[in-house]
Amino acid sequence: MPPTSRRRFLIGTTAALGAGAAATLGLPGTASAAPSAVATLYIASDSTAQTYNSGYYPQAGWGQTLPGFFTSNITVANRAIGGRSSRSFIEQGRLAAIHDVIKPGDYLFVQFGHNDATTGNPERYTSPADYKEYLRNDYIRATRSRGATPVVVTPVSRRSYNESTGQFNVSFPQYVDAAKAVAAEEGVPLVDLSALSRTYLNGVGIEASKNVFLWLNPGQYPNFPNGVQDNTHFQQNGATQMSRLVAQAVARLGLPLSGEVRPTAV
């Protein structure tokens, strides 16, 4: 993923926190898990979804703001962590840590692609063909074998657009296609966040999309005194809009989880 002037990922933080991570960090716009929770929604992903603490405000990931769109019956355990691909998330034992605790009736949302596509970084790069097989064997089949439900999420869009048409481009199209194909082949639920986020961005337009992504002026926020122009990561507003799109898609999937989406999401 392209570097930013604020590329300070919380290595190991979200992996260690597990359920209720957002509440523990006291992040704005998040909901704490209630003792009555009947299912846990785990997220395996990268920095576009991860949880950031207040020292990074207003940077946020869509997994960080997702709890606010579900009832207290659902705990969101955001295990997303920056700089990981579908392969490195497995190699570092992060998927195994989820599989150690996931239970029948739980869910695993998996979104990768941003770091898989970094051909210049051998620790992250994963070919589209290998990415597809990791999704199939490690994230889908291994999760199902534990009685939990995997949900494939296509890579969220970057702030990349066609200057002639003003329309946003499909980010990581080979990985989007691979995710959609394996979800269809395995018969698992799909959240096409690539398409949903692109439609949303086309609706707000190129200039307003700066308020979605981490575009900040110098002096605007204490945590980014020099400002930043980041076309990959989100600020709080953008993360909230992306998680709203995820929740809206979940409400249409016909899963038990679908009935736990708050009316404010739809």
Side-chain angles (χ1 to χ4, degrees):
M1 185 177 305
T4 73
S5 62
R6 191 70 169 179
R7 189 180 180 122
R8 302 181 304 168
F9 293 121
L10 305 182
I11 304 302
T13 299
T14 51
L17 288 171
T24 302
L25 292 171
L27 292 156
T30 59
S32 60
S36 60
V38 296
T40 301
L41 188 167
Y42 293 90
I43 300 174
S45 189
D46 53 35
S47 59
T48 62
Q50 84 169 69
T51 294
Y52 297 84
N53 67 28
S54 59
Y56 296 79
Y57 185 80
Q59 186 170 357
W62 65 258
Q64 173 178 336
T65 52
L66 189 63
F69 293 105
F70 286 93
T71 71
S72 58
N73 289 329
I74 303 300
T75 295
V76 176
N78 188 10
R79 302 296 181 89
I81 187 72
R84 271 58 179 187
S85 65
S86 61
R87 175 174 60 85
S88 65
F89 196 89
I90 296 167
E91 291 177 343
Q92 295 175 5
R94 296 178 183 277
L95 180 58
I98 294 174
H99 282 159
D100 283 345
V101 295
I102 203 167
K103 307 181 305 297
D106 288 344
Y107 298 85
L108 175 63
F109 281 46
V110 52
Q111 180 219 244
F112 289 103
H114 287 68
N115 294 301
D116 296 72
T118 53
T119 55
N121 189 328
E123 293 183 2
R124 300 178 183 178
Y125 176 68
T126 309
S127 71
D130 287 344
Y131 163 86
K132 185 177 178 181
E133 294 311 306
Y134 284 127
L135 290 184
R136 184 194 312 280
N137 297 313
D138 297 272
Y139 293 94
I140 294 174
R141 294 182 179 177
T143 298
R144 276 180 161 171
S145 72
R146 289 162 170 80
T149 300
V151 177
V152 173
V153 183
T154 55
V156 68
S157 296
R158 298 186 68 248
R159 188 174 179 271
S160 169
Y161 53 86
N162 185 311
E163 293 186 359
S164 298
T165 65
Q167 297 294 291
F168 281 78
N169 300 318
V170 178
S171 300
F172 317 107
Q174 290 181 300
Y175 296 89
V176 171
D177 290 345
K180 291 164 69 174
V182 75
E185 292 163 7
E186 296 294 317
V188 299
L190 175 78
V191 172
D192 193 356
L193 188 54
S194 169
L196 293 170
S197 58
R198 195 167 66 256
T199 298
Y200 174 80
L201 292 169
N202 283 333
V204 301
I206 293 171
E207 187 61 28
S209 69
K210 293 177 180 178
N211 296 321
V212 174
F213 291 89
L214 199 63
W215 273 62
L216 309 174
N217 296 322
Q220 186 177 0
Y221 289 96
N223 292 323
F224 296 84
N226 298 320
V228 64
Q229 295 182 358
D230 183 338
N231 292 318
T232 298
H233 302 98
F234 303 109
Q235 53 181 298
Q236 186 79 27
N237 167 64
T240 300
Q241 297 307 321
M242 295 304 116
S243 56
R244 185 189 304 275
L245 294 174
V246 171
Q248 289 174 346
V250 170
R252 299 188 292 267
L253 288 178
L255 299 169
L257 180 66
S258 303
E260 303 297 338
V261 176
R262 293 184 183 274
T264 51
V266 295

